[in-house]
Amino acid sequence: MTNVILAATGNVGRQIVAQLAGHAAVRAVTRDPAALPGSVYGDLSAPDTIAACVEEGDAVFLLWPLHTGRLLPAVVDAIARRAGRVVFLGTGGVPDLGFEEQEKLIHGCGIASTVLRPSTFAVNTLWWTGQIRTGDVVRGAYGALPMALIHEADMAAVAVRALTEPGHDDATYELTGPEILTQAEQVRVIGEVLDRPLRWEGLTREQARLRLLADETFPDSFVDVLLDGYAAMLAGPPPTLTSTVQDVTGTPPRSLREWVADHAADFVCPGP
Ligand SMILES: NC(=O)c1ccc[n+]([C@@H]2O[C@H](COP(=O)([O-])OP(=O)(O)OC[C@H]3O[C@@H](n4cnc5c(N)ncnc54)[C@H](OP(=O)(O)O)[C@@H]3O)[C@@H](O)[C@H]2O)c1
């Protein structure tokens, strides 16, 4: 059985490929195989190209990075006609296909299926690298917003189990990290690990919006989506922790401290 990893160049996909290496057969899929040795071409916006990546009985890791869910049913159908198992990382980033609809589609596709529903990725804190590389202050809105940040390696570890061992069929796994931290607390933790006096400085939503729009590394089209998402999270029920990472993998989820230690180089200005 081959494990077909879609979005193999992303935060989670890269980790899955690394964790499977040497243990199981892997076919990594990207739109740019020239940049990833040994990978094959597949474009989620062209379902036929995904069908060509999947062979009889494969186990497939799928996520949905597109901003419309219009083609997700066709991609899932292309996978279900060939593969034996699909592991899907759910997304809140598809306005026209909510999480429950995604879950119904995956669990109803006719092959063994597992759905992962992760909390906020710890890797999102890399959006602050520009500010942290050049000063000790991180400015943003919603500093009191609590999150249960999760390390991409923990999502990958659960995905690897679901891809390669029995016992995960029809499951929907809610995945979180081990702690709840506000954005202001996250900045403090990053500072402690980097041994820097980092601090959060609150901005109004409009100030944060203008700052993000002026940030060349942040996509303009995502600014309002992000701020609306944060406002909705703050207005909704506070996050809770789950034991799913530990239950499925036997290892507790990594803390933000561990995540920062793994990514410390990202917060330092690249050399000349
Ligand atoms: N950030 C969060 O807090 C959070 C929380 C919950 C869920 N999520 C979900 O997690 C997913 C992102 O995961 P990630 O962080 O691992 O990915 P990522 O680092 O953002 O990278 C995006 C991946 O998607 C692939 N991709 C983009 N367009 C594609 C296309 N048309 N066809 C095939 N592949 C395509 C890219 O591959 P190539 O460019 O190599 O083709 C790349 O591997 C999204 O669905 C997001 O909504 C994120």
Side-chain angles (χ1 to χ4, degrees):
M1 186 189 77
T2 297
N3 297 279
V4 179
I5 312 303
L6 293 156
T9 57
N11 298 303
V12 181
R14 262 197 320 265
Q15 278 287 335
I16 296 175
V17 171
Q19 292 182 24
L20 285 170
H23 301 285
V26 174
R27 188 177 307 126
V29 182
T30 168
R31 288 168 299 169
D32 184 12
L36 184 65
S39 64
V40 299
Y41 176 79
D43 183 344
L44 292 165
S45 63
D48 287 353
T49 68
I50 302 304
C53 299
V54 182
E55 285 161 21
E56 191 69 28
D58 286 338
V60 177
F61 173 77
L62 171 68
L63 57 67
W64 198 252
L66 311 183
H67 296 301
T68 163
R70 199 172 47 82
L71 288 174
L72 182 58
V75 167
V76 171
D77 183 60
I79 291 169
R81 283 174 187 276
R82 297 164 181 83
R85 179 176 295 191
V86 61
V87 177
F88 178 72
L89 184 78
T91 172
V94 186
D96 59 356
L97 197 71
F99 182 81
E100 280 71 24
E101 291 166 278
Q102 297 165 32
E103 186 186 20
K104 208 166 142 194
L105 182 66
I106 299 296
H107 284 323
C109 77
I111 58 173
S113 61
T114 309
V115 173
L116 312 182
R117 186 175 195 172
S119 57
T120 309
F121 291 9
V123 78
N124 292 358
T125 63
L126 290 180
W127 292 332
W128 298 329
T129 48
Q131 299 190 76
I132 291 174
R133 284 175 182 174
T134 54
D136 288 333
V137 182
V138 173
R139 296 181 176 87
Y142 307 111
L145 177 65
M147 300 174 182
L149 295 183
I150 184 163
H151 196 307
E152 58 278 9
D154 290 322
M155 292 183 265
V158 173
V160 164
R161 294 293 184 129
L163 286 165
T164 59
E165 65 179 32
H168 306 288
D169 298 355
D170 298 324
T172 293
Y173 288 138
E174 305 255 356
L175 308 178
T176 73
E179 65 208 329
I180 293 171
L181 296 167
T182 66
Q183 295 205 88
E185 289 167 340
Q186 294 163 30
V187 169
R188 180 179 47 73
V189 169
I190 294 169
E192 285 169 9
V193 178
L194 300 179
D195 199 18
R196 297 259 314 273
L198 299 183
R199 63 185 171 83
W200 175 268
E201 191 175 288
L203 298 179
T204 64
R205 181 197 161 107
E206 188 52 22
Q207 287 169 329
R209 187 170 173 274
L210 295 175
R211 207 202 65 72
L212 285 167
L213 286 171
D215 182 340
E216 284 174 7
T217 65
F218 200 89
D220 285 359
S221 61
F222 191 52
V223 170
D224 285 319
V225 176
L226 179 78
L227 294 171
D228 287 348
Y230 282 177
M233 283 164 74
L234 201 54
T240 52
L241 301 178
T242 70
S243 60
T244 315
V245 170
Q246 162 101 51
D247 297 344
V248 173
T249 68
T251 305
R254 295 157 174 89
S255 65
L256 180 61
R257 276 177 191 285
E258 290 170 278
W259 183 90
V260 178
D262 290 344
H263 291 267
D266 293 322
F267 291 99
V268 178
C269 267

